[in-house]
Amino acid sequence: MAEAEKILAAWAAAAPAVDAQWEDAQPGPSLAAVAARLSSVPRPFLDEDVSIAALAGDILGRPVTAAAHADDERVRQGAAIALWLIASEDVVEPFDPPLTPAGCALAVDALALRLAPVAAPLEWLSDDERREEAARTFLLWCALLPAGEDASTARSLLDARDSLRRNAALAEAYAEHAHRAEIARRLAEARAREAAARYSSE
């Protein structure tokens, strides 16, 4: 549990507020389309020697926070599966509407750091409910809603499948990390505003 809590803390520090994510979410591809891609992850993406840093560089052209924690098998597998979803647009066909790869780096971290510590990535490939949770999580952090769903419906359905909520101890620890991260963000914003005001008055 300690290792899972450490990974969740990394997500809490990196993630923007979930409420804002829901507010910004736009209509996206169907849940079934994303779930189908999850079921067809190529074996090389799951290889234990795959480098998440290199894979993210090739597919996204930028680093992901998960790469710093990829020595944990769950994180590595979760990030690799998310990167496959993005890469599949070139390998299979684009989603409808297509993803914006640069905007999906957060979704890679969400699957690797938020979901993988509480729901093993290989279960996303074999269990219908966990696959739906992974697909919904991925879409949310790509700032997309499943086709045909509004934000309220999508949020309720993801909450109902949230593996973290089912683990009371980890959920409580995560809430504390998220609260501390939010305070740190607000303090940093306040300091930035003060600095800007100071410079503008000089």
Side-chain angles (χ1 to χ4, degrees), residues 34-43 45-46 77-78 80-82 84-85 111 115 119-135:
V34 179
R37 298 280 172 94
L38 275 167
S39 299
S40 61
V41 181
R43 188 158 296 280
F45 276 76
L46 299 175
Q77 289 177 342
I81 291 169
W84 155 247
L85 289 175
L111 287 189
L115 182 56
L122 294 184
E123 290 182 8
W124 310 348
L125 313 183
S126 60
D127 180 273
D128 289 343
E129 188 168 338
R130 296 288 67 77
R131 182 161 52 248
E132 180 177 341
E133 181 183 10

Side-chain angles (χ1 to χ4, degrees), residues 35-190:
R37 298 280 172 94
L38 275 167
S39 299
S40 61
V41 181
R43 188 158 296 280
F45 276 76
L46 299 175
D47 190 286
E48 63 182 18
D49 294 324
V50 73
S51 164
I52 295 306
L55 206 55
D58 289 345
I59 294 169
L60 293 173
R62 57 162 292 179
V64 291
T65 304
H69 304 274
D71 54 336
D72 185 290
E73 184 179 27
R74 296 164 299 179
V75 172
R76 179 182 53 74
Q77 289 177 342
I81 291 169
L83 287 163
W84 155 247
L85 289 175
I86 299 163
S88 73
E89 291 206 294
D90 290 328
V91 177
V92 183
E93 64 178 356
F95 287 108
D96 181 23
L99 306 175
T100 305
C104 290
L106 194 57
V108 174
D109 286 330
L111 287 189
L113 303 175
R114 167 65 168 77
L115 182 56
V118 292
L122 294 184
E123 290 182 8
W124 310 348
L125 313 183
S126 60
D127 180 273
D128 289 343
E129 188 168 338
R130 296 288 67 77
R131 182 161 52 248
E132 180 177 341
E133 181 183 10
R136 289 184 176 281
T137 301
F138 178 79
L139 286 171
L140 167 63
W141 294 101
C142 283
L144 296 169
L145 299 171
E149 295 181 9
D150 60 21
S152 177
T153 301
R155 187 168 194 167
S156 295
L157 290 169
L158 179 53
D159 285 349
R161 288 154 182 77
D162 188 352
S163 296
L164 182 56
R165 286 175 177 240
R166 300 177 189 186
N167 186 319
L170 275 178
E172 183 178 345
Y174 174 70
E176 290 175 6
H177 289 304
H179 179 65
R180 284 198 294 269
E182 180 60 22
I183 290 172
R185 272 193 290 272
R186 289 181 182 176
L187 286 172
E189 288 169 3

